[in-house]
Amino acid sequence: MTANRTVRAARPCTAAGQVTVPDRAALATAGRAERTRMLDGYVRQELGWVLGIAPHLVDTTGRPMSSLGIGSIAGLELQHRMEAALHVELNLQMLLLANSAAELVDCLAGQLGPREEAAHRHVPADSA
């Protein structure tokens, strides 16, 4: 006697079947708030794809990445997917230890903004 079993797909199927990557030129010219909004949607899609859940179910503000289910294997997959899609370098340790996905979004928003903004981001605060 064999049991009938329904196997659930590991990845949810989106309308396009893939994650929508924001346009780099649009990211570079957008203001910080708009760039952050664009990247938040993208990061939700990537996390949803890696975790096998719908993007709108991803909690980007209240939970550390490890609490979301991003361990070393999922973190490597996420790192490679984002680096290839956005043409940026992501530090795997930073990704895994992030206090929230919003922290990752903020890091990406800084990297993908105008060069002037990136240059100002690294200027130390005046200690006087």
Side-chain angles (χ1 to χ4, degrees), residues 10 15 22-23 27 31 33 39 42 47-49 53 57-58 72 77 79 82 84 90 93 97 105 107 111 117 120 125:
D23 180 68
L27 288 168
L39 288 165
Y42 167 71
L47 284 167
W49 192 90
I53 62 174
L57 297 175
V58 175
S72 58
E77 183 175 4
Q79 177 192 26
M82 292 178 138
L90 284 176
Q93 186 174 9
L97 298 176
V105 169
C107 175
Q111 285 187 41
E117 186 177 299
H120 291 199

Side-chain angles (χ1 to χ4, degrees), residues 94-127:
M94 183 280 301
L95 190 149
L96 293 173
L97 298 176
N99 290 321
S100 66
E103 192 174 293
L104 173 59
V105 169
D106 189 54
C107 175
L108 290 170
Q111 285 187 41
L112 294 165
R115 291 179 189 239
E116 302 80 38
E117 186 177 299
H120 291 199
R121 191 178 72 231
H122 296 293
V123 174
D126 195 328
S127 60

